[in-house]
Amino acid sequence: MIKKYGLGALVAGSLAFSAPAAMATEFINVLTGGTSGVYYPLGVALSEIYAEGIDDSRTQVQSTKASVENLNLLQQGRGEIGFALGDSVKDAYEGNADVGFSKPLDKLRAIAAIYPNFIQIAASSASGAVTVTDLVGKSVSVGAAKSGTEVNARKILGALDMTYDDLGKVEYLPFAESVELMKNRQLDATLQSSGLGSAALKDLSATQDVTYVSVPAEVAETLGAPYAAGVIPAGTYPGQDEDIPTLAITNILVTSTDVSDETAYQMTKLLFENLDTMKAAHSAAGAIDIQNAIANSPIPMHPGAEKYYKEQGLM
C-alpha cells in the first residue's frame, strides 16, 4: 500500500536529507566529581578546550560522585569522557560487583593516564591519629558511597586486616561535607583520594589544627598495581611541615566505544596541546605527561586515541 504524505512532510524530509553534515552538533558531556575536588575544575577546563577546538561541538560538565558513577554513565552512553581512578577502571572492566559494577563494562576505552591521586587522610590533632591503624575507634568519612575514594578506603583497610567495623563511626560523604563535619567537631578524620592541593583540604588546614595521617608503603606492595607508594610533600597544606608517606593511584581519562574515532582523536590531541590551560585550572595537572599516557592501562585504548599516540611516536 502506498502511503500519501502532505507537502509539509515532503519538504521536511528533503531538508533533513539535504542538510550539510557540518550542521550536526557534537555533544560532549564531561563527567567529573564533586565541585570541591580536583576532577571538577579540570573537567571545566577540558569542556572549554573541547568547545573551542572541536568544530560544531556543544559541551557540558556534569558533577557526579566520581569514578564509579562516571564509569557506569559512560557504559550507559550518558557521557563522552570522564575521570576515574585506575583501580576503579580495572574493577569496572572486570565487573567487580562488590565495588559497584554488576557486570563487566565492556564499552570502556582509555584516552590517557593523567595525574596520580594521593590518599590524603586529615585527622583532628585532638584525635591523636598519625597512621592508618590509629583510626581504630575513630569517626571517619570515607567518601561518597561506592565512589573511587570509598573503594580506596575499603582496599587500604583490608590490606591492614581492618574493616569499617574497626572504626568508631563511618560517614559516606563528599569532600566538602566531610570538612564541614570536622570543623564542627563531629568527625575525627576524612579520607580523601584526590590530586595534591585539594581545595577542601586547604580550607580545613587553614582553619583547623589537623594531622595528615600516614599510609605505610607496604600497603602498596600488598595491593599491587595501580597502587604505588607516594608522598604528600611538606607544605602542600597550611601547617603541614613534613612529608607524609601515603599511596598514589593513577587517574585515567575514559571514554567509550560509542564515541567516534575522530572525536576521541580530537579529545586526546587537544588535551595534550592545552596542558597550560589544564595546569591553570588546577596544579594537579602539572603531573600530566604524554610519556606516561599509555602506560599500564587496565582497559583497551580507544582507536582515536591510538591514532594520536602513533603520530607522536609512542605506539
Side-chain angles (χ1 to χ4, degrees), residues 199-220:
L201 291 177
K202 281 184 176 180
D203 175 39
L204 178 65
S205 296
T207 58
Q208 305 291 311
D209 188 8
V210 298
T211 299
Y212 281 86
V213 173
S214 66
V215 182
E218 53 263 31
V219 173

Side-chain angles (χ1 to χ4, degrees), residues 178-196:
S178 302
V179 164
E180 287 306 309
L181 284 187
M182 288 194 67
K183 287 181 178 181
N184 294 329
R185 300 181 182 179
Q186 295 175 288
L187 193 66
D188 291 318
T190 172
L191 183 150
Q192 305 193 4
S193 177
S194 74
L196 295 173

